[in-house]
Amino acid sequence: MPESAGAAPRGETAIDDDAQGLVGFCPHCGAELDVQSFVQEYWTADERVFHVWCERCRYVFDVRPTARVTTHEPAHE
Amino acid sequence: MLTTELNERLTRVGPGTPMGTLLRHYWYPVAATSELGPEPIQRRLLGEDIVLYRKGDEIGVIEAQCPHRRASMRYAIVEERGIRCGYHGWLYGMDGQCLEQPAEPASSTFKDRIKAVTYRAEELGGLIFVYMGKDPAPLLPRFDLFVWDNCLRDVGHALLPMNWLQVMENSVDPHHVEWLHGHYMNFVRGISGEQQAEVLMRKHEKIAFDVFDYGIIKRRVLEGMTEEDEDWKVGHPLVFPAMLRVGGGGHYQFQIRVPVDDTHTSHFWYDVYKPDGDYIVAPQESVPLFEVPIYDEKGDYLVDFVDGQDVMAWASQGEIADRSNEHLGKSDLGVIMLRRLFQEQLDQVEGGADPLGVVRDESINDCITLPQEKKKFGTGAGFRYEFLTMGQCRYSPIAQDVLKLFEEAEKSLAGGDAMHHDASV
Ligand code: FES
Ligand SMILES: [Fe+2]
Ligand SMILES: [Zn+2]
């Protein structure tokens, strides 16, 4: 294939931003999550999850940016 | 998605790279024993070109390019004291020390200041393994399949055009089996009117991954099975960092994914056939090696058998998969766990410790037994049938001997205790 300039088009996917750097710091110890740590995005249904391992404090987390909090309504007395 | 930076860190294997350093803690097969005769052979491992030669009972490994003027040591003379470059006759001992430079003045001490890079090699189970890391070298792990007796072995091989990590990720991706080797297989076989696969089609209901001493154990519950079945109770392991153990019904296999360089993987399918039953197998003179074809005559991937389908899936992701452009879901948690495990082990190595599965204790190294289900996918023989006819084994030069062995073993069981007989056949 001939070399050409410019980025290839992307289809419509769940991602409309560049996920790089969305979870920049460890929620536990505050260390910067650089390339020595592990940040991996995945999706469960319409929920976006970042699976995180912090190289400094060794914690493993799932970070879920939350746009809307939903809950059930308890039965009224 | 994964960041481009992290993707680089997890995939690159050359000298001095983080992953290259981690991977240099392990031994890798680079050839079958039968491939190394009186003439040296050349291979690439972890981005470095090396030449192997046999000197008596020992195997020497030396950098491929002669330190003099860079001719290949593949075309060298093997002698009593080492290996002599075919171009101008510089002689190197097994430790790489230059011993002779025939064209230099007799009084020259130039040779004393030349030392070639050398590595260590050992033979086990019909394969030649090389270690390229720091001293002291760990033990070459004597995994069960390499040391068992009373069995038949063969080794399939293919040089694959992609990064090794794509191959390893497939080993923690159980869902692909029902699709790639079930539905897709039947699509392809349907077009050519071939027999349909059944066993491999079954739907996955539950999967789990546990880290253990030598890697990750993979478990599955398929439709109609329970957690009492061996696929869940026993499972089978990804052997860290570059091997898969799989099989069932008397067929055992290591798939060894040797990182050749960033964009090539040397793949060995190391098969052991050892069905339950009463029989005696004479030791094989040598373990037969055969090439597994991966392309058809048009240059497309051969996708009418299990291993060809796997190769298609690994290779068609590209030389190094662009993980910054992927979309992982919940069913990819095994892949995520493997990447995290690599990242944790990179950190461990940077801290100066041995990574997972490095063996230094002689007392455990007589035979390291790995867990593996026998009644694979709830059956033995059904799985074995599809595996033998729809896997790379179909190219084995000893396929007929293998089938005979299975028949003999089955007969011996039928004549004896009927309890052993596999009712699902
Ligand atoms: S559905 Fe998984 S790679 Fe296409
Ligand atoms: Fe597969
Ligand atoms: Zn932290």
Side-chain angles (χ1 to χ4, degrees):
Chain A
M1 252 189 271
E3 292 272 332
S4 49
R10 283 192 176 198
E12 278 177 50
T13 64
I15 303 170
D16 56 4
D17 57 38
D18 182 3
Q20 314 218 11
L22 269 193
V23 183
F25 296 91
C26 172
H28 178 247
C29 77
E32 189 178 346
L33 297 170
D34 58 13
V35 74
Q36 312 273 120
S37 289
F38 185 75
V39 181
Q40 168 78 66
E41 177 201 59
Y42 70 97
W43 290 77
T44 79
D46 56 359
E47 218 182 6
R48 188 180 200 178
V49 186
F50 293 90
H51 185 72
V52 176
W53 171 75
C54 171
E55 190 253 346
R56 188 162 93 188
C57 71
R58 316 266 148 156
Y59 272 46
V60 176
F61 308 87
D62 274 348
V63 176
R64 293 159 204 265
T66 308
R68 175 204 242 171
V69 178
T70 53
T71 179
H72 68 290
E73 190 179 48
H76 293 286
E77 298 280 285
Chain B
M1 61 88 67
L2 195 70
T3 63
T4 311
E5 244 185 321
L6 191 46
N7 196 29
E8 291 278 301
R9 178 169 155 95
L10 291 175
T11 51
R12 303 278 175 183
V13 300
T17 60
M19 188 57 84
T21 306
L22 167 64
L23 294 176
R24 278 168 174 74
H25 283 74
Y26 302 88
W27 293 80
Y28 301 92
V30 297
T33 290
S34 58
E35 287 181 281
L36 185 56
E39 241 188 321
I41 57 174
Q42 182 161 345
R43 292 290 184 270
R44 179 176 292 175
L45 177 59
L46 297 170
E48 294 180 54
D49 291 316
I50 52 175
V51 163
L52 291 93
Y53 60 98
R54 204 183 271 289
K55 194 175 81 70
D57 290 342
E58 286 173 294
I59 293 176
V61 184
I62 189 164
E63 62 179 302
Q65 259 40 64
C66 175
H68 179 214
R69 279 185 36 222
R70 319 289 300 154
S72 173
M73 298 298 288
R74 145 82 180 82
Y75 302 95
I77 305 161
V78 182
E79 315 188 340
E80 191 55 34
R81 292 162 69 205
I83 184 164
R84 191 187 288 279
C85 179
Y87 197 10
H88 306 99
W90 285 24
L91 174 69
Y92 302 92
M94 293 202 80
D95 63 353
Q97 183 59 53
C98 185
L99 303 172
E100 278 179 26
Q101 299 169 330
E104 293 302 302
S107 59
S108 169
T109 57
F110 182 34
K111 64 177 179 355
D112 302 340
R113 284 179 289 130
I114 303 287
K115 192 167 181 184
V117 177
T118 58
Y119 297 112
R120 224 176 262 278
E122 271 181 42
E123 281 173 281
L124 181 66
L127 296 174
I128 300 172
F129 292 80
V130 169
Y131 173 75
M132 296 184 36
K134 282 204 202 114
D135 279 333
L139 299 172
L140 170 57
R142 293 170 55 83
F143 289 119
D144 44 11
L145 303 195
F146 295 135
V147 299
W148 281 350
D149 59 10
N150 204 38
C151 55
L152 286 175
R153 291 187 170 82
D154 61 27
V155 188
H157 176 263
L159 179 63
L160 308 178
M162 86 307 266
N163 183 265
W164 64 285
L165 186 60
Q166 275 143 250
V167 188
M168 292 313 293
E169 287 182 342
N170 181 70
S171 297
V172 275
D173 177 9
H175 288 288
H176 89 272
V177 174
E178 69 186 81
W179 280 99
L180 187 61
H181 309 314
H183 299 277
Y184 179 70
M185 165 92 88
N186 285 344
F187 170 72
V188 172
R189 290 192 156 229
I191 290 172
S192 56
E194 278 178 275
Q195 189 182 352
Q196 300 280 292
E198 283 169 22
V199 177
L200 296 172
M201 284 263 290
R202 294 172 63 183
K203 189 171 166 47
H204 285 70
E205 293 197 326
K206 187 154 118 181
I207 52 181
F209 307 94
D210 300 306
V211 175
F212 79 123
D213 287 354
Y214 297 99
I216 297 175
I217 300 194
K218 178 166 58 166
R219 306 173 196 280
R220 44 167 58 109
V221 176
L222 299 171
E223 204 167 30
M225 286 173 34
T226 72
E227 293 187 9
E228 287 309 301
D229 281 287
E230 289 189 11
D231 294 76
W232 180 268
K233 255 181 52 192
V234 184
H236 63 269
L238 175 155
V239 182
F240 195 84
M243 205 158 79
L244 170 70
R245 166 68 165 272
V246 44
H251 175 208
Y252 302 83
Q253 186 182 70
F254 281 137
Q255 295 190 11
I256 314 174
R257 290 74 185 259
V258 182
V260 168
D261 55 27
D262 291 343
T263 56
H264 293 90
T265 302
S266 175
H267 199 288
F268 293 92
W269 288 268
Y270 187 90
D271 299 297
V272 174
Y273 309 97
K274 192 176 173 60
D276 290 345
D278 274 327
Y279 52 85
I280 293 170
V281 184
Q284 288 166 287
E285 236 162 70
S286 76
V287 179
L289 172 76
F290 58 98
E291 277 301 305
V292 177
I294 59 170
Y295 300 110
D296 66 14
E297 61 287 348
K298 286 186 301 194
D300 290 325
Y301 289 107
L302 262 179
V303 286
D304 68 336
F305 71 113
V306 168
D307 301 280
Q309 292 153 2
D310 279 325
V311 168
M312 176 284 292
W314 308 333
S316 68
Q317 293 170 42
E319 287 188 330
I320 300 180
D322 176 7
R323 293 177 178 80
S324 73
N325 214 349
E326 66 186 6
H327 300 86
L328 302 194
K330 234 187 150 153
S331 58
D332 298 305
L333 280 176
V335 172
I336 294 175
M337 177 172 168
L338 178 66
R339 292 178 188 173
R340 198 188 83 213
L341 183 62
F342 270 110
Q343 183 72 330
E344 289 169 352
Q345 296 300 312
L346 283 172
D347 192 61
Q348 190 152 317
V349 164
E350 279 160 21
D354 271 339
L356 189 67
V358 167
V359 178
R360 295 192 186 274
D361 181 357
E362 288 275 4
S363 72
I364 61 158
N365 202 31
D366 261 356
C367 176
I368 299 176
T369 303
L370 293 169
Q372 182 212 299
E373 65 277 73
K374 281 187 172 178
K375 287 196 141 207
K376 175 97 168 168
F377 281 28
T379 151
F383 174 81
R384 186 183 75 231
Y385 171 75
E386 291 196 355
F387 212 74
L388 288 180
T389 55
M390 297 181 180
Q392 46 80 41
C393 307
R394 71 181 187 178
Y395 298 108
S396 169
I398 60 162
Q400 287 313 313
D401 301 334
V402 170
L403 286 175
K404 247 188 262 153
L405 172 64
F406 277 104
E407 279 163 23
E408 196 189 331
E410 255 154 45
K411 251 188 250 152
S412 80
L413 290 180
D417 185 358
M419 288 296 288
H420 288 288
H421 201 74
D422 193 336
S424 59
V425 182

